[in-house]
Amino acid sequence: MITALVSRKGGVGKTTTAVSLSAAFAARGRRTLLIDLDSQCSASLSLGVDRYALAPSSADLLLRDMSAPEVIRPTAVPGLDLITSSVDLLSADIELGLTTGLRRRLRSALEPVRNRYDQILLDCPPSLSVMPQTALVAADNFVVPIVPQYLAIEGLQNLLDAVDRLGDRFGFAPTPLGIVLTMVDYRTREMRQQVDLVRRIFGDMVFAVEVRVNVRLAEAPAAGQSIFDYDSGSTGARAYGLLAEEMLLRAGVFERTGVSDEPVEAGPREPRLP
Ligand SMILES: Nc1ncnc2c1ncn2[C@@H]1O[C@H](COP(=O)(O)OP(=O)(O)OP(=O)(O)O)[C@@H](O)[C@H]1O
Ligand SMILES: [Mg+2]
């Protein structure tokens, strides 16, 4: 399953979600590949890759015809592989944008390796420019993180519509797997109201699991560790572990039997393998 993390807004937790879910999937025994498609390289750096060791990267895959096996590297997390990003991706938006058909390039580049992985996650820059479009054309489904603040839902429907149109245009339509509420802070009444609003408008499309504000999630990238290695007992680690399971349920990977009665916000539970 190839899942893209997309949002037009910056700083809503796309990278944190991509990195944490990748580690959570790997911890559940799923062979996982994380692909960093943002020229800021946040996902790569968050997993401890040195700024000077980013090559070979997704830019080499997309712009220089290197093959996927040549750019995939292992990480410190067992079961999690990575394709880093590089600043060269800044020019990719221009180069890929000018050449017709290149939005399909990631999709075809992943063809030789997609069966090696149970889970491939794509971390995108904050826009719906050429790079996220390239990711969406390659993806089976997509997840939209939002911070439930004033105006948060502005543009959300817009994004969903834009992805639909993209599907029509390129013939590959990823399905929306869900909207995930991130950096939720119930100390503010405003946020509580926004959470209610998002849930009322988007209903079942919103994941039951919410990711609360958790300082450990903000600290982990500087340590170059996933939240599970940095602080496995943190609320952030618990939330992303549960979110990974809810995603697998939604995607039909886990059996619903015996799981559906439990509240998803409950404490940690044993991973269930398919
Ligand atoms: N649940 C959380 N609690 C506290 N801090 C968080 C949480 N989630 C993310 N952060 C922090 O918020 C900032 C933005 O998060 P992140 O980089 O994941 O967003 P993004 O959508 O990928 O941003 P960009 O659009 O720039 O790529 C980071 O400093 C991150 O560490
Ligand atoms: Mg990011």
Side-chain angles (χ1 to χ4, degrees):
M1 173 165 92
I2 305 184
T3 304
L5 274 297
V6 289
S7 157
R8 275 184 164 143
K9 280 187 197 282
V12 294
K14 289 179 296 298
T15 301
T16 305
T17 303
V19 170
S20 305
L21 283 176
S22 298
F25 288 135
R28 280 156 182 74
R30 298 184 60 76
R31 297 163 303 166
T32 305
L33 171 65
L34 172 63
I35 307 181
D36 189 350
L37 294 170
D38 187 349
S39 60
Q40 295 178 100
C41 310
S42 317
S44 312
L45 302 172
S46 297
L47 279 170
V49 178
D50 192 280
R51 193 172 286 281
Y52 301 101
L54 289 166
S57 71
S58 53
D60 297 301
L61 184 72
L62 293 169
L63 302 175
R64 299 189 194 98
D65 289 327
M66 277 178 86
S67 71
E70 288 175 295
V71 296
I72 290 174
R73 65 178 80 196
T75 67
V77 179
L80 174 58
D81 287 348
L82 172 71
I83 299 180
T84 54
S85 179
S86 96
V87 286
D88 298 358
L89 272 192
L90 267 181
S91 63
D93 248 16
I94 299 162
E95 292 183 42
L96 287 174
L98 288 177
T99 324
T100 49
L102 286 188
R103 282 180 187 75
R104 294 193 178 90
R105 185 168 279 190
L106 182 62
R107 189 184 179 90
S108 45
L110 291 179
E111 215 46 67
V113 295
R114 66 179 297 165
N115 287 336
R116 290 191 206 166
Y117 295 98
D118 300 306
Q119 210 75 46
I120 300 180
L121 283 117
L122 312 174
D123 185 33
C124 295
S127 69
L128 209 54
S129 64
V130 177
M131 200 46 63
Q133 288 181 24
T134 304
L136 285 163
V137 168
D140 300 311
N141 53 41
F142 65 98
V143 168
V144 189
I146 69 162
V147 183
Q149 287 166 336
Y150 182 58
L151 295 182
I153 54 172
E154 296 286 321
L156 195 50
Q157 190 57 52
N158 205 310
L159 174 83
L160 299 173
D161 294 342
V163 176
D164 251 3
R165 283 198 302 278
L166 196 70
D168 292 344
R169 187 159 157 218
F170 293 102
F172 304 105
T175 52
L177 191 60
I179 295 163
V180 56
L181 297 165
T182 61
M183 295 183 235
V184 177
D185 184 354
Y186 281 121
R187 286 170 300 185
T188 72
R189 200 159 68 152
E190 159 72 11
M191 211 168 249
R192 197 175 289 274
Q193 288 169 347
Q194 289 296 324
V195 170
D196 288 347
L197 189 65
V198 173
R199 290 201 177 278
R200 212 165 46 241
I201 294 175
F202 293 97
D204 286 348
M205 202 184 265
V206 187
F207 286 106
V209 175
E210 295 173 0
V211 183
R212 306 281 175 94
V213 167
N214 178 218
V215 69
R216 307 301 268 169
L217 281 170
E219 291 168 356
Q225 288 180 320
S226 86
I227 188 64
F228 303 99
D229 288 327
Y230 185 69
D231 186 352
S232 61
S234 62
T235 57
R238 258 204 320 274
Y240 277 114
L242 290 172
L243 182 64
E245 295 187 8
E246 193 181 3
M247 272 181 70
L248 294 176
L249 272 172
R250 267 195 193 194
V253 177
F254 277 2
E255 288 295 319
R256 281 194 180 273
T257 329
V259 181
S260 56
D261 294 342
E262 297 172 31
V264 252
E265 290 91 343
R269 47 181 148 90
E270 289 302 304
R272 289 178 179 77
L273 295 175

